[in-house]
Amino acid sequence: ALAINAQHQNRIIRAKQTLNDTITHVDKKVSLKKGTILQSPMEVPDIILDEDMAEEYLKHIFSTPSIWKRQNEPLRDELGVLLYHYARAPFDSTAAFLTLLPYDSLRIPWKRFYIIDSVKITVPLVSADTLAVDSISLQVRPQEMYLTIGSDLRKISLSSDLQPVTRNDTLFVNDSVFVLLSDFIPASLPRSGGDTTILIISDTLPWATLPDKEFPFRRMRYPFMTDSIRAAVSTIIDALHGRDSTIIKFTGRGNSTTDVWLNSQSGNLRRYWLQDMNGDSVTVWIGSPSRNTISMETEDGVTFKRQVWRNDLVDKKINTVAVKDEEIRKVEMNKIDPNTWKYRGDVSYLFSQSKVSDYWVAGGNDNISSALDINGYLYYTNKEKKVSWTTTGRLAIGLLWTDGVGVRKNLDVIDIASKVNHKAFGKFDFSGQLQFKTQSFVGKKYTSDTSYVVSKFFNPATLILGYGLDYKPTKTFSVNVSPLSYKGIYVPAAGKIDETLYGVEEGKKSKNEMGMYVTLNSSDKIFKKITMTNKIQFFSNFLNKPQNVDIDWEMTMTTSLSWFADIKLNTFLIYDDETLFTVTDDEGNERKIPKLQFKELLGLTLSFRF
């Protein structure tokens, strides 16, 4: 700040020195000594100022009250307006910001403007009435009740008809607030007593605050302050649009230009010399009689005369064909569709290779890894109805060849996700989502001497349905909370595939769960050319051990080498307490426990985007 301030002061000093040298300059031939007779008028030099010098000079003139006859001199006021507009953004930028501002996010809940105390009514418990008639016997009728306000306890007797018996019917909540007992004590009490708490507004605050660093106000005096600001801003913007001005420069064959201001308050005309190809000119008066209107008038006394060599064109006619009115009525204007569809996609191919010679002491096998990853994105937006729809699809297939082992599958994903959002309030949207996951080809589990099938197409398949709120504070981060969600895991080929590997009970083909689903999506640039994308999903099953949360986390880190080549790192982390793995302890006993599943792919990726 000190460096900027010093630089600013130096700029002001240089500007003043240049101005003094320029403005006080006179012709060297003219002597200004006392008693000298001036032979010719002093020549006015050319004064050249850049923008910074001009701004500083006008600020100095404007801020020196001693040189002005009056403080509200019109010239001084207009110089202030000129400096004000020069130092600020254009009006259209300000209007766009204020029009698109989400005023509902600035509101403070109305409950923050009140202090609420509670009055607790306690009626002693009595035995239940065993009579068939609807009456209360003398033995079981409550005789008294208690009122608790903060630390104060008040005992009140009850009459035979269950009415409060008190000399003073006024109940003081604090020094300035009191209520009448008859206003909130019921006319008749229940047969068996109980505790009842009644909330009373004990004080109204003159202002309230919101503890949010993005909240622009220090305090607000009533809950609807932002609505009043929004209405006032809208009125002022409409008024400024009505008197806004735009300058237009008219030019022709010559070098001269004429400036005309377009506005709704100016009827002035400017003279413009309109030249022809021979250099002759005629006077044209140009002006703006009303908003968005330009008028052009010729000089008084100017007449037009057709040239002789064009007289043969006077009687020329254009052949026309009559068209029936019915044919004309068929022509209609095209309606602009406010709904927009967008799509994009990308195809990437990952490749990595390792070669180990026979004389490599540490050992190892030759291997080649490759993966094809196809992604498609479809977007729909309806701004009038405040609805947006996003659908993504992914197909990924990867193979691994190892010397002495052969070809095996190391990546197989089919993932379809669809989400519909409707504007709710602020940065929150009502959101409904659908997600489907499965794989394409047969997956095997390999042991030292054999292998067996553990997955294939649609075995297993996961379907998730949910509805809730979607919060998107920035363009690169969003949180979706679906408090009521369905999660289904399907294994139609149960028996041929071990369904218990995916949490499905033995002998069944599916598992259905109801719970809460939370999804976090982020995309951040951690370095200049490295982008990290995260998608984390949490699911809690309300029907079985809700404290055990399932986790599905996919992270992708990408750095770009060129327009078609990237280095990409993919990691997958899954935890499901109902997905069990067989382990053997030190004593040789086998048991099934949940474990953390992790997979990682790293390699050179060739990308094609469309």
Side-chain angles (χ1 to χ4, degrees), residues 577-597:
D577 67 311
E578 296 182 354
T579 301
L580 304 178
F581 296 86
T582 303
V583 297
T584 304
D585 56 17
D586 297 338
E587 299 177 358
N589 300 322
E590 292 186 352
R591 59 191 181 96
K592 290 188 175 182
I593 61 173
K595 279 184 170 293
L596 190 67
Q597 306 174 54

Side-chain angles (χ1 to χ4, degrees), residues 141-165:
R141 182 179 293 115
Q143 302 297 324
E144 58 191 16
M145 69 177 181
Y146 300 91
L147 299 180
T148 305
I149 305 177
S151 59
D152 297 334
L153 178 65
R154 181 174 179 181
K155 177 181 178 181
I156 298 177
S157 300
L158 299 176
S159 63
S160 58
D161 56 351
L162 301 179
Q163 293 294 332
V165 179

Side-chain angles (χ1 to χ4, degrees), residues 60-89:
H60 173 69
I61 296 297
F62 176 80
S63 59
T64 306
S66 60
I67 69 175
W68 299 97
K69 291 182 179 180
R70 297 174 298 174
Q71 294 299 321
N72 59 344
E73 189 70 31
L75 175 59
R76 186 170 186 261
D77 293 340
E78 294 301 325
L79 289 178
V81 173
L82 177 66
L83 292 172
Y84 176 87
H85 286 290
Y86 175 77
R88 281 159 178 80

Side-chain angles (χ1 to χ4, degrees), residues 301-585:
V302 174
T303 58
F304 297 96
K305 184 178 180 180
R306 192 182 303 276
Q307 294 186 4
V308 177
W309 62 276
R310 291 187 176 180
N311 288 339
D312 58 337
L313 302 177
V314 175
D315 298 327
K316 297 296 182 180
K317 294 183 178 180
I318 300 175
N319 295 330
T320 59
V321 179
V323 180
K324 295 182 179 180
D325 293 342
E326 289 77 6
E327 297 295 331
I328 298 177
R329 292 193 186 101
K330 293 180 181 179
V331 179
E332 296 180 355
M333 297 296 293
N334 292 331
K335 296 181 179 180
I336 300 176
D337 188 2
N339 308 329
T340 57
W341 289 89
K342 295 181 181 179
Y343 70 90
R344 67 182 181 89
D346 58 74
V347 179
S348 59
Y349 178 74
L350 184 145
F351 177 82
S352 64
Q353 179 264 344
S354 174
K355 174 68 176 178
V356 180
S357 68
D358 297 336
Y359 302 103
W360 185 258
V361 177
N365 294 328
D366 299 345
N367 65 80
I368 297 175
S369 175
S370 64
L372 179 65
D373 198 344
I374 304 174
N375 291 271
Y377 307 87
L378 180 64
Y379 307 97
Y380 170 79
T381 304
N382 190 325
K383 294 184 178 179
E384 293 183 354
K385 297 183 178 180
K386 300 180 180 180
V387 175
S388 61
W389 176 34
T390 303
T391 300
T392 62
R394 181 187 182 191
L395 174 63
I397 302 171
L399 300 175
L400 174 66
W401 174 84
T402 305
D403 187 19
V405 178
V407 179
R408 294 181 180 179
K409 182 178 72 171
N410 68 340
L411 177 64
D412 191 358
V413 176
I414 296 179
D415 190 349
I416 299 174
S418 183
K419 184 169 67 172
V420 178
N421 283 17
H422 187 278
K423 182 70 173 179
F425 54 89
K427 297 180 180 179
F428 288 87
D429 295 343
F430 294 114
S431 175
Q433 65 173 344
L434 175 147
Q435 187 172 357
F436 175 77
K437 283 186 177 182
T438 186
Q439 57 281 320
S440 304
F441 302 103
V442 173
K444 294 183 179 181
K445 182 70 174 181
Y446 296 91
T447 61
S448 58
D449 54 354
T450 184
S451 64
Y452 56 93
V453 177
V454 295
S455 66
K456 62 181 181 179
F457 178 70
F458 211 85
N459 287 270
T462 303
L463 176 65
I464 298 173
L465 299 173
Y467 185 80
L469 284 176
D470 191 70
Y471 174 63
K472 192 172 184 180
T474 64
K475 294 182 179 181
T476 59
F477 179 76
S478 66
V479 180
N480 185 279
V481 180
S482 301
L484 185 61
S485 302
Y486 165 78
K487 180 179 180 181
I489 300 177
Y490 308 98
V491 187
K496 298 180 181 179
I497 294 177
D498 186 2
E499 63 275 11
T500 62
L501 292 175
Y502 308 102
V504 180
E505 295 183 10
E506 186 175 359
K508 294 186 178 181
K509 296 184 178 181
S510 64
K511 180 180 71 171
N512 302 293
E513 298 176 331
M514 295 295 295
M516 183 173 69
Y517 211 84
V518 179
T519 304
L520 282 73
N521 291 279
S522 68
S523 179
D524 302 297
K525 214 164 193 178
I526 58 177
F527 295 105
K528 186 175 181 180
K529 291 187 177 181
I530 299 179
T531 303
M532 182 174 64
T533 303
N534 285 280
K535 181 179 181 182
I536 310 176
Q537 298 175 327
F538 304 93
F539 180 77
S540 174
N541 183 10
F542 293 159
L543 305 179
N544 183 25
K545 299 179 180 179
Q547 71 277 9
N548 295 343
V549 179
D550 299 342
I551 301 175
D552 190 340
W553 181 8
E554 179 180 353
M555 187 272 289
T556 303
M557 190 173 295
T558 307
T559 178
S560 178
L561 299 179
S562 64
W563 64 272
F564 66 90
D566 301 328
I567 295 179
K568 185 177 292 187
L569 170 66
N570 294 87
T571 62
F572 304 86
L573 187 147
I574 299 175
Y575 180 80
D576 187 347
D577 67 311
E578 296 182 354
T579 301
L580 304 178
F581 296 86
T582 303
V583 297
T584 304
D585 56 17

Side-chain angles (χ1 to χ4, degrees), residues 41-186:
M42 290 187 297
E43 297 181 2
V44 179
D46 294 330
I47 302 177
I48 302 175
L49 305 176
D50 58 18
E51 292 185 12
D52 293 336
M53 295 167 57
E55 181 185 10
E56 294 299 334
Y57 182 68
L58 291 181
K59 283 183 178 179
H60 173 69
I61 296 297
F62 176 80
S63 59
T64 306
S66 60
I67 69 175
W68 299 97
K69 291 182 179 180
R70 297 174 298 174
Q71 294 299 321
N72 59 344
E73 189 70 31
L75 175 59
R76 186 170 186 261
D77 293 340
E78 294 301 325
L79 289 178
V81 173
L82 177 66
L83 292 172
Y84 176 87
H85 286 290
Y86 175 77
R88 281 159 178 80
F91 168 69
D92 54 349
S93 301
T94 301
F97 173 82
L98 293 175
T99 303
L100 300 177
L101 182 70
Y103 290 89
D104 50 357
S105 64
L106 304 180
R107 293 175 180 167
I108 295 181
W110 63 270
K111 292 183 179 180
R112 287 181 175 266
F113 290 85
Y114 303 99
I115 296 178
I116 300 175
D117 290 334
S118 60
V119 178
K120 184 177 181 181
I121 304 176
T122 304
V123 181
L125 294 174
V126 297
S127 359
D129 187 6
T130 57
L131 298 178
V133 296
D134 188 14
S135 63
I136 300 177
S137 62
L138 295 176
Q139 292 78 12
V140 300
R141 182 179 293 115
Q143 302 297 324
E144 58 191 16
M145 69 177 181
Y146 300 91
L147 299 180
T148 305
I149 305 177
S151 59
D152 297 334
L153 178 65
R154 181 174 179 181
K155 177 181 178 181
I156 298 177
S157 300
L158 299 176
S159 63
S160 58
D161 56 351
L162 301 179
Q163 293 294 332
V165 179
T166 178
R167 294 181 180 179
N168 185 6
D169 194 29
T170 303
L171 181 65
F172 287 89
V173 179
N174 55 35
D175 296 338
S176 60
V177 177
F178 61 90
V179 294
L180 300 178
L181 295 178
S182 58
D183 291 342
F184 64 91
I185 295 181

